[in-house]
Every structure is written in structure tokens, then in C-alpha cells.
């Protein structure tokens, strides 16, 4: 099931609360089963974050998900914390 998010945010940091934000007015949909976030841009736009540099996102349809890291010695995976 997909739901529209209240804010155009792709990810919020669990540690500091910083966010990866798209421009105001961008419709971001989240798949409640997978956690994937989808958005469509009519034109190139900036993705901003309080601590990281701005990233230019090209126009088109996009899907974003959480980045995971794998600990080989422990044979386990976890979400990357921002």
C-alpha cells in the first residue's frame, strides 16, 4: 500500500534528526510494505541536507530506499545511521 508523505523528505537521520529534503511541493509516496519512497520530478531539482552537500537530481521518476551495510565477520546487516 502506498501513502503520500506530509513532507518531501527521502530520509530522516535517526541520530540527529537531519533530513534529505526535496523541494517544497514535491509529492513523495511511500510503500508501507517495503519502505521505498517514490517521487517524480518535472525538472532537475536539488536534494538538500543540513550537513551534506546539495545533490542535483535529474528530472524523471525515482525510487529511494534505506542504505544497508553488511558486517561480514558477524554475518549480519543493519541500516546505515545518518
Amino acid at each position: 500500500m502506498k501513502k503520500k508523505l506530509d513532507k518531501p523528505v527521502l530520509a530522516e537521520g535517526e541520530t540527529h534528526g537531519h533530513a534529505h529534503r526535496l523541494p517544497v511541493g514535491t509529492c513523495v509516496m511511500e510503500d508501507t510494505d517495503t519502505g521505498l519512497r517514490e517521487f517524480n520530478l518535472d525538472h532537475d531539482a536539488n536534494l538538500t541536507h543540513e550537513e551534506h552537500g546539495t545533490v542535483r537530481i535529474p528530472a524523471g521518476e525515482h525510487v529511494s530506499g534505506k542504505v544497508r551495510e553488511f558486517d561480514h565477520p558477524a554475518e549480519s546487516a543493519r541500516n546505515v545511521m545518518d
Side-chain angles (χ1 to χ4, degrees):
M1 180 174 169
K2 293 183 183 177
K3 70 174 184 175
K4 181 180 176 183
L5 300 181
D6 295 334
K7 302 178 284 185
V9 172
L10 292 185
E12 292 183 275
E14 296 87 357
T15 307
H16 300 290
H18 296 146
H20 294 88
R21 299 179 192 281
L22 291 162
V24 172
T26 304
C27 177
V28 178
M29 301 294 290
E30 181 177 53
D31 184 313
T32 57
D33 295 324
T34 64
L36 293 176
R37 294 184 178 188
E38 303 173 6
F39 61 98
N40 186 25
L41 297 173
D42 294 332
H43 50 79
D44 293 359
N46 288 332
L47 176 70
T48 61
H49 186 276
E50 291 88 339
E51 294 181 331
H52 306 306
T54 297
V55 176
R56 193 77 172 157
I57 306 293
E61 295 181 16
H62 299 273
V63 177
S64 175
K66 288 199 178 247
V67 175
R68 296 181 53 80
E69 61 186 4
F70 190 77
D71 181 339
H72 291 279
E75 295 184 359
S76 65
R78 65 180 180 166
N79 289 340
V80 172
M81 301 291 274
D82 183 22

